């Protein structure tokens, strides 16, 4: 298990919440928790491999920007397809959570796709965490 209060510890909780929301057909909530899980996994990598210039980046809710920084730091585990799904997660976080012209509800397939990606990313970082 990841250290209590660490990015990976909280990512695991977010992933559990995403699974529960998906199972209860609240697909938009599942997508938001998937975004949060992925965000925290990526931040765990940046925290471990980045430097003080990453301070501001660590407060962002932008998985694609976090992923780009992880790539700069040497993490290149996502396929082109998965990187495309990751790019949608910011929309899943903001546009399903706040009213406005861009508001939308996630479908079951969008939620399942986000959950599959979040589980894949979490598994990679969890495996790496146990090696340390």
């Amino acid at each position: 298990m990841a250290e209590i209060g660490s990015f990976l510890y909280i990512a695991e909780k977010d992933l559990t919440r995403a699974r529960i929301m998906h199972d209860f057909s609240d697909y938009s909530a599942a997508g938001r928790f998937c975004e949060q899980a992925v965000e925290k996994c990526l931040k765990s990598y940046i925290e471990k491999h980045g430097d003080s210039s990453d301070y501001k980046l660590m407060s962002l809710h932008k998985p694609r920007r976090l992923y780009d920084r992880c790539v700069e730091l040497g993490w290149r585990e996502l396929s082109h397809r998965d990187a495309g799904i990751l790019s949608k997660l910011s929309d899943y976080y903001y546009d399903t959570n706040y009213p406005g012209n861009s508001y939308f509800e996630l479908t079951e397939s969008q939620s399942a796709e986000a959950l599959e990606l979040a589980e894949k990313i979490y598994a990679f970082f969890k495996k790496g965490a146990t090696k340390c």
Side-chain angles (χ1 to χ4, degrees), residues 28-78:
S28 293
R32 288 192 302 274
F33 281 117
C34 287
E35 186 281 339
Q36 286 290 291
V38 168
E39 178 184 318
K40 289 173 181 88
C41 287
L42 297 173
K43 286 179 178 180
S44 75
Y45 187 84
I46 295 168
E47 181 179 60
K48 185 173 182 179
H49 300 283
D51 56 40
S52 62
S53 68
D54 294 314
Y55 176 77
K56 185 172 181 174
L57 181 63
M58 298 297 276
S59 67
L60 296 179
H61 301 287
K62 305 261 186 218
R64 184 56 200 222
R65 178 62 192 103
L66 295 166
Y67 170 69
D68 290 344
R69 179 62 177 141
C70 289
V71 169
E72 291 170 5
L73 294 169
W75 188 66
R76 294 176 177 83
E77 299 297 320
L78 292 186

